Amino acid sequence: MSAADLSLLRRPNDRLRRRRMINRGMELVAWLAAALAVFFLGIVVWSVAQKGASQLSLDLFTKSQPIGQFGTGSEKLGLANAFIGSLVIVGIATAIALPFGILIAIYVNEFAGKRIKNVVSLTLDVLAGVPAIVIGFFVYVLLVVGHGQSGYAAGFALSVLMLPLVSRSTIEVLALVPDSLREAALGVGAPRWRTTLGVVLPQTIGGVLTGATLAVARIAGETAPVLLVCSLVGQGNNWNPSQALMTVPLAIFELSDQADAPEQALAWAGALVLILFILFTSLFARWLATRSRRKIAQAGR
Amino acid sequence: MTSLDASTDVARRPFPGRRMRLGDLLLQGAAALAAAGALVLVILIAWKVIQGARLSLSTFGFGFLTHIAWDPNPAHLDFGAASFLYGTAITSVGALILATPIAIGVALFLSELAPSGIRGPVTALVETLAAIPSVVIGLWGILVLAPFLRDHVDPALHSALGFIPLFGPATYGSNIFTAIVVLTIMILPIIASISRELFLAVPSELKEGALGLGMTRWEMIRGVVFPYARGGVAAAMILGLGRAIGEAIAVSMVIGGAIGISINIFQPGQTLAGQIAGQFTSSTSALFTASLLYLALILLVFSIVVNLVAQFIVRRSARHQGSAR
């Protein structure tokens, strides 16, 4: 190293200064980007919280919004029918998608050869990429044309949306179960089905529930399929899924169209409850995930 | 992926004395049936959508794609997808252009620059943004964002950049630009979280080597992280694009629902998905519904193509990665 080189190292020249300035500038840009993203989230949640909080009352959960005739009087309106409908429809969707999705995951992880595995994975990815509104239209053509709308159709549509989510997360957790467990069970003479259902699957319950919970959070907020399949709703609180039921996101969608302040306030309230529900289910899913990770780590020992 | 192969190998390796039990048969049969069911489902979706659109397909054929019209009047029923193809293209591409730089910035922040204390919370916040239902963003969009843009942003943009026909006169709150902003907010977290994971996966030896050579943080990111993650980020962008194309509810709430092609983004417009969501309940004839299904068919084809392209990019970049080491 000549003396000239070393002095370059000691004195920051113009080029180095410029490079450092650009570096600083880019770091600032990244900070700003992150701030912007958090700002977007904050502003949406803030609007919903601020405008919806005033409507939070027992009435919201006990009174029903009369569909089609938006009240002009001073009667306090509520979203009871929407909450009930959402509960029933999401319940139906979960009841269909959960066993189906788990079986698919079991097949992919425990039984399938490499080629079939790729085909099924591709199928799940394609299914996950179909827009919710197209799935809604599919269910419309399949179940509604000629039979009329129903909560079952909406539940089925939402289960189609749930299926890839549940399958993929279950596949991931099943893959995490160490082979030593399977080998040990087979080694003591347990049949394949016993090994899978009685040894491997119970290890993954936490992960499966996490995936299912996240999927529920996702479809609880879906409007498009319900709009196409289950929107001609009758009056009052309806628990019967063979008829069309109101759901919370659909109620928000229809109420947002109205120009009157009480209807819009109701929409904000519904949005607030929806966001809170999704927030809590996501947190619950995250807690489940950490718990199941700990259990699997213990099982590996 | 190797662990997946390993487990099935373990289970399928034949050993002496093993016979097929009824329970095994039942489980494997049921599971195989479920997997086949998923395949059948995808095919069924395509089939039923095509079947539903048949009336419109036979009436309009491919001309539907270049025809600008949506007239449900029984005297002169006329439907065409051109307005919505344009609307979908401009809103999705616009959202992608706006969201990608921000998302990459967020991903860089979360993977390289954030102090460890705020890394976790901010990551959680970005993922929460992804979890907000589209109807809530649509509600916020039409009641909060649209008036704000109409009163403060659109006129400012018009007066500053009005010489570009893109930024024409701004009068409506519900317009293409509002839809672009809404879609940007919706696809931002998708691109950001995938990119963040990609940036985190860059081998630290490569990064440390670059820093050791005297590169600044930014030069290291530009020279090492970006090239390494290039394929994955492209795939993330395509997935975000796919999301934007398929978004029906939030878009239909803020875009104004107008027919026609207008280069001015402050004019109302409509997308494929938005038209379906907005017009489904007012369908007055079989041709109307079939035409909506024709739109759905176009959407289905787009989303499958987008999905496959993203997969292809991921596979190709994974191959490059493997050979580059």
Side-chain angles (χ1 to χ4, degrees), chain A residues 166-226:
Chain A
V166 171
S167 278
R168 286 198 284 200
S169 64
T170 309
I171 289 176
E172 276 176 30
V173 231
L174 278 176
L176 282 177
V177 176
D179 286 331
S180 47
L181 219 61
R182 295 185 181 86
E183 288 168 3
L186 291 173
V188 295
R192 286 290 302 289
W193 68 271
R194 204 75 185 293
T195 311
T196 309
L197 292 182
V199 177
V200 177
L201 203 56
Q203 289 293 317
T204 62
I205 287 290
V208 171
L209 281 179
T210 305
T213 311
L214 287 173
V216 164
R218 161 80 200 278
I219 62 159
E222 278 292 342
T223 316
V226 186

Side-chain angles (χ1 to χ4, degrees), chain B residues 254-271:
Chain B
V254 300
I255 199 169
I259 315 294
I261 296 184
S262 148
I263 192 89
N264 178 4
I265 61 173
F266 299 128
Q267 286 283 334
Q270 188 56 284
T271 64

Side-chain angles (χ1 to χ4, degrees), chain B residues 164-254:
Chain B
I164 309 175
L166 210 59
F167 301 99
T171 38
Y172 305 94
S174 297
N175 54 36
I176 292 179
F177 181 58
T178 314
I180 290 179
V181 175
V182 162
L183 282 177
T184 304
I185 296 179
M186 294 183 77
I187 71 175
L188 175 62
I190 299 174
I191 304 178
S193 46
I194 296 180
S195 301
R196 178 186 136 263
E197 285 179 20
L198 287 165
F199 293 159
L200 283 174
V202 175
S204 43
E205 317 92 67
L206 293 177
K207 294 196 282 194
E208 285 161 13
L211 291 175
L213 285 172
M215 293 191 191
T216 62
R217 206 61 150 316
W218 165 242
E219 285 164 356
M220 180 269 287
I221 291 173
R222 226 180 63 184
V224 174
V225 177
F226 278 172
Y228 193 89
R230 195 169 38 204
V233 172
M237 286 170 62
I238 306 260
L239 283 175
L241 183 69
R243 178 85 172 85
I245 289 176
E247 179 48 50
I249 296 296
V251 168
S252 74
M253 289 165 95
V254 300

